[in-house]
Amino acid sequence: MNISAVSLELASLSLGLLTIILGLIFPSFRSKNTGGYLAIMGLISMLIGSLYLPASNTQTFINTFYVQDSLALFFKQLFIVVAIFVNAMSLRYLKPYTKNRGDYFALTFFALTGMMIMASAAEFITLYIGLELMTFTFVLLTTYKKQDLKSGEAGLKYLLLSAISSGVLLYGLSLIYGLTGKLDFSAISTVFSIGSVSPLLVWAIIMVLSGLGFKIALVPFHMWTPDVYEGAPTPITAFLAVGSKAAGFVAFIRVFFHVFAPFTSIFMPLLITLTVLTLLIGNLIALAQTHLKRFLAYSSIAHVGYILLGVIAYSKLGLSAILFYLMLYLFANIGAFAGVTALVINTGHDRISDLAGLWKCSPFLSVIFLISLLSLAGIPPTAGFIGKFYLFTEAIHQGYLWLAALALGLSLVAVYYYLMVIRTLLSGTSEETQPFIIPFSLRLVMIVSAAMTIGIGIWPGPFTDLALNIAQSFY
Amino acid sequence: MIILFYLFSAILLAFALGTVISTNLIHSALLMMGSFFAVAGLYLLLQADYLAMVQILVYVGAIAILLVFGVMLTRKGSIEESNLPNRYKTIGLVTALGLFGLLARSITYTRFPSPPLESPPQNIIAIAQAFLLQYIVAFEALGILLLIAILGAILIGKEPK
């Protein structure tokens, strides 16, 4: 037994339970932000501690069902960073909701634990339980604004649709178990590598693809995304858009790069079709959005399409491009959602038209929006450019020139709609006259994410090396 | 054995179909209970006696009863027409039958590895060992999941003051 393989999960779990217990003992702890400060401090120490965990060799907990390799550790650190940002964004945002604030911070820890379990699971039951732990917690966090009907609607939609997608995923997993008699990834891939293809296996692959596709918002399993993103509290939307999606991707990587590796000829045509659909629908529907959070939801769907180019490339460099892109996607999205949070705090709205004249009210906020949206659009010198560059070149390198060309064309469409938002922000007159109040915690989140977005763009070396090392050890 | 398998399967299918078709939500819930019993019977045939017991205890004893109570406490209007099919009845039927046909064809076409790959854990001790050794992470995570479910029920259900 190797406790260090689960040390981060245990830390996250204990902090979550501690937050609940403290809230039960001290009522003021629940109604004030103390829990949030505790959460942020705990998460930062977890992040520092995780740097000392051995990353070079794969560690297993009890057996090979639960592994901590460099891929898992990378994703866990990514989740912790997201959780720090989300908690920091929530501090001021939660002010109208004085009750149960402590529970909110506790729930973010449980969502984090679920994601971490997904990152480390090398066996289907553990993976599924981690996925459900994450989903359940996100349903609760989504419905956190109980007075707001949209929040309740979003929670209900998320619950029902994820129940259906879980059903499909479980059916697929049961078929895999029926065909192989195994549940852990390495045993299944051993059976698969000598076995033949049966029609039922195709079904299993389709079902697993749709179950995991739901979590990463792959078209046509994306229908929940805009509604849930719109209804959820804005920091939770950021958590969903970055954390939940990255957790879906780590499961996706493990299952499709490892378990289904002998069957690339079966799932690849399917995956390519869905990627094309995702790119088309994500980018084209984003054009028509008037609501900032729905707009970012469709933009995040489009980004799934770009990231999937790395899966389609199906190579070491493709995997490293995915990991690199997830890093910069994190900072760009956190920047954008922190901007939306600031907008909601000050104006109470989050329509794109509310951005008009922002340049005069708050130049700082405008610059943050500018940097984040330019990075999402993939314009140099921001990190988005380099990330897209790596993904597209690797796709071309593996012979998918047409797909890369399509993605490039659609990302030009994306540039157009991001620039439309930026134009609204820079021109126009605002009804607001007084300057925006941006709390210190939010300001810090914005500065760090913007600095990282520019920093990765100018000096990508260390980050690409990190991604490449992880991809190398995974292969 | 084979006769019993077909018997339980037929009961299961009949009850499941009744659950969907019935327009009375309470009847649907009761029919669903019947299908849970049939599933327990199938588990018994597979020599998973513990699973069969838990199936009856948890699904029939707790979940179905909870469902009936939920219907009784929240339902407004006539119970006779509480579970009406929506306007996608035909499309739904065609899709379900098509999917069933494709899956059934695939299942009959596929050669499953035989004999059974792993003998199922025949007693509670084997299950307990699997839970607390091999699947310890999943088991503990399930505990947390239940805690969150309780916490969430309180958070959502409590009236704001």
Side-chain angles (χ1 to χ4, degrees), chain A residues 13 17 20 30 61-63 65-66 99-100 103 107 110 117 123 125-126 129 132-133 136-137 140 143 146 171 177-183 198-200 203 207, chain B residues 99 102-103 105-107 109-113 117-118 132-139 141-142 144-145 147-149 151-161:
Chain A
L13 208 55
L17 292 173
I20 291 184
R30 283 184 77 192
F61 177 66
I62 296 186
N63 53 17
F65 288 7
Y66 202 79
K99 297 234 179 289
N100 308 334
D103 301 334
L107 285 175
F110 294 127
I117 291 174
E123 182 262 343
I125 290 182
T126 313
I129 303 281
E132 285 300 316
L133 183 58
F136 255 65
T137 321
L140 292 175
T143 54
K146 260 197 301 187
Y171 200 158
Y177 183 67
L179 288 168
T180 60
K182 298 278 186 286
L183 281 166
S198 60
L200 217 49
W203 277 107
M207 284 169 179
Chain B
L99 199 62
L102 282 172
L103 271 171
R105 184 79 193 89
S106 311
I107 289 171
Y109 186 80
T110 303
R111 279 181 47 223
F112 283 94
L117 302 134
E118 277 172 23
L132 292 175
L133 284 173
Q134 283 174 292
Y135 295 100
I136 179 78
V137 179
F139 183 70
L142 266 181
I144 300 298
L145 188 63
L147 175 76
I148 292 166
L151 189 74
I154 296 169
L155 276 181
I156 293 179
K158 208 168 71 178
E159 284 290 317
K161 280 177 196 153

Side-chain angles (χ1 to χ4, degrees), chain A residues 1-290:
Chain A
M1 195 168 87
N2 187 353
I3 283 290
S4 90
V6 289
S7 51
L8 288 175
E9 288 85 333
L10 286 179
S12 160
L13 208 55
S14 334
L15 281 168
L17 292 173
L18 183 72
T19 315
I20 291 184
I21 293 167
L22 284 177
L24 290 174
I25 301 173
F26 309 107
S28 67
F29 187 84
R30 283 184 77 192
S31 54
K32 291 218 166 62
N33 270 338
T34 331
Y37 295 121
L38 180 81
I40 294 168
M41 282 191 295
L43 286 165
I44 289 174
S45 33
M46 271 167 69
L47 186 65
I48 294 168
S50 74
L51 298 176
Y52 291 97
L53 287 172
S56 49
N57 54 335
T58 303
Q59 305 208 25
T60 57
F61 177 66
I62 296 186
N63 53 17
T64 53
F65 288 7
Y66 202 79
V67 294
Q68 171 137 308
D69 48 8
S70 53
L71 185 78
L73 196 60
F74 168 80
F75 272 98
K76 284 177 190 177
Q77 286 162 344
L78 197 81
F79 299 148
I80 295 174
V81 172
V82 183
I84 294 172
F85 282 142
V86 168
N87 278 320
M89 279 158 74
S90 306
L91 291 174
R92 174 61 182 76
Y93 183 85
L94 291 177
K95 207 173 181 184
Y97 317 99
T98 41
K99 297 234 179 289
N100 308 334
R101 248 191 265 181
D103 301 334
Y104 176 98
F105 295 118
L107 285 175
T108 56
F109 276 113
F110 294 127
L112 180 66
T113 314
M115 292 178 198
M116 286 179 170
I117 291 174
M118 281 178 81
S120 267
E123 182 262 343
F124 275 125
I125 290 182
T126 313
L127 176 71
Y128 175 71
I129 303 281
L131 187 138
E132 285 300 316
L133 183 58
M134 178 187 85
T135 313
F136 255 65
T137 321
F138 269 125
V139 170
L140 292 175
L141 288 170
T142 306
T143 54
Y144 184 77
K145 295 191 289 178
K146 260 197 301 187
Q147 302 88 330
D148 185 359
L149 277 178
K150 270 193 175 161
S151 178
E153 183 201 337
L156 192 62
K157 269 187 184 158
Y158 192 43
L159 180 68
L160 289 177
L161 291 176
S162 58
I164 294 171
S165 94
S166 292
V168 175
L169 178 66
L170 278 179
Y171 200 158
L173 299 186
S174 76
L175 291 180
I176 293 176
Y177 183 67
L179 288 168
T180 60
K182 298 278 186 286
L183 281 166
D184 55 325
F185 293 169
S186 45
I188 292 174
S189 60
T190 317
V191 176
F192 275 166
S193 59
I194 49 167
S196 57
V197 177
S198 60
L200 217 49
L201 183 79
V202 182
W203 277 107
I205 291 175
I206 293 173
M207 284 169 179
V208 172
L209 180 64
S210 25
L212 293 178
F214 177 85
K215 284 283 168 283
I216 60 169
L218 181 68
V219 174
F221 317 110
H222 69 290
M223 297 305 288
W224 60 280
T225 325
D227 289 339
V228 173
Y229 280 24
E230 187 189 355
T234 311
I236 295 308
T237 311
F239 210 1
L240 272 171
V242 185
S244 166
K245 199 160 280 192
F249 264 110
V250 64
F252 210 84
I253 289 168
R254 281 200 197 277
V255 171
F256 283 90
F257 275 84
H258 186 190
V259 181
F260 290 150
F263 306 121
T264 42
S265 58
I266 296 173
F267 70 76
M268 214 41 114
L270 207 63
L271 200 58
I272 290 171
T273 319
L274 295 186
T275 304
V276 170
L277 277 176
T278 307
L279 283 168
L280 279 172
I281 288 183
N283 279 314
L284 294 182
I285 299 187
L287 279 170
Q289 299 306 315
T290 54

